[in-house]
């Protein structure tokens, strides 16, 4: 899993681009797809399909390598965003990497007010 996290971090600072999967532009599900490809693991392309991949994990049980899903649109149920857990520093400090539409590829705390509010679920990829 360290290799997937390392691969994703090499994209920090890459600008956001809808449908993007390269260093010139990346979207959230594309970031995870190319990061997992670094270990020859194929995961679905879209955040909605990725949200059905692996097994469910409770927020309190998150580990590096888990996928976290968000509903940032009008519907609180429709998955619109995904990130990859990179570090668990404490009970309320879980870092995840994602492609933000405004900031590009960045790491944030899952427990920040904004992300905690739009968090929907987490999945652990099956190895």
């Amino acid at each position: 899993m360290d290799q997937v996290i390392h691969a994703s971090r090499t994209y920090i600072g890459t600008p956001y681009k809808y449908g993007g999967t390269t260093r010139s532009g990346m979207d959230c599900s594309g970031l995870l797809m190319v990061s997992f490809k670094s270990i020859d693991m194929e995961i679905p392309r879209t955040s909605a399909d990725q949200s059905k991949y692996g097994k469910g994990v409770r927020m309190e049980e998150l580990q590096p390598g888990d996928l976290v899903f968000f509903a940032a649109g009008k519907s609180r149920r429709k998955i619109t965003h995904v990130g990859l857990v990179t570090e668990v520093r404490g009970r309320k400090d879980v870092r995840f990497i994602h492609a933000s539409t405004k900031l590009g590829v960045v790491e944030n705390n899952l427990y920040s007010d904004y992300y905690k509010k739009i968090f929907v679920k987490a999945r652990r990829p099956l190895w």
Side-chain angles (χ1 to χ4, degrees):
M1 188 41 52
D2 289 347
Q3 190 175 333
V4 174
I5 292 168
H6 174 76
S8 68
R9 283 178 165 159
T10 67
Y11 289 93
I12 287 177
T14 299
Y16 180 86
K17 179 181 179 198
Y18 180 79
T21 58
T22 67
R23 295 199 186 281
S24 62
M26 186 69 74
D27 72 10
C28 61
S29 57
L31 174 65
L32 270 61
M33 189 186 76
V34 299
S35 298
F36 277 94
K37 204 172 265 187
S38 74
I39 60 166
D40 295 321
M41 187 171 169
E42 298 281 331
I43 67 169
R45 173 62 181 97
T46 68
S47 55
D49 287 342
Q50 289 173 358
S51 75
K52 300 171 189 137
Y53 186 76
K55 69 174 188 135
V57 181
R58 293 196 353 249
M59 205 169 177
E60 308 78 45
E61 298 170 337
L62 287 171
Q63 297 174 4
D66 289 342
L67 310 181
V68 286
F69 297 92
F70 306 90
K74 289 183 178 72
S75 168
R76 287 289 297 127
R77 294 179 188 201
K78 185 172 188 278
I79 301 294
T80 59
H81 193 61
V82 61
L84 173 71
V85 175
T86 55
E87 283 181 76
V88 178
R89 295 180 180 173
R91 213 166 58 81
K92 299 284 185 197
D93 191 358
V94 175
R95 302 290 160 159
F96 72 103
I97 192 166
H98 61 118
S100 154
T101 52
K102 291 188 174 94
L103 303 171
V105 179
V106 293
E107 284 189 64
N108 289 106
N109 184 1
L110 181 61
Y111 284 88
S112 69
D113 289 342
Y114 176 72
Y115 290 108
K116 193 169 58 176
K117 187 173 67 184
I118 64 169
F119 174 82
V120 175
K121 66 179 178 176
R123 307 286 290 178
R124 182 161 297 149
L126 303 174
W127 309 111

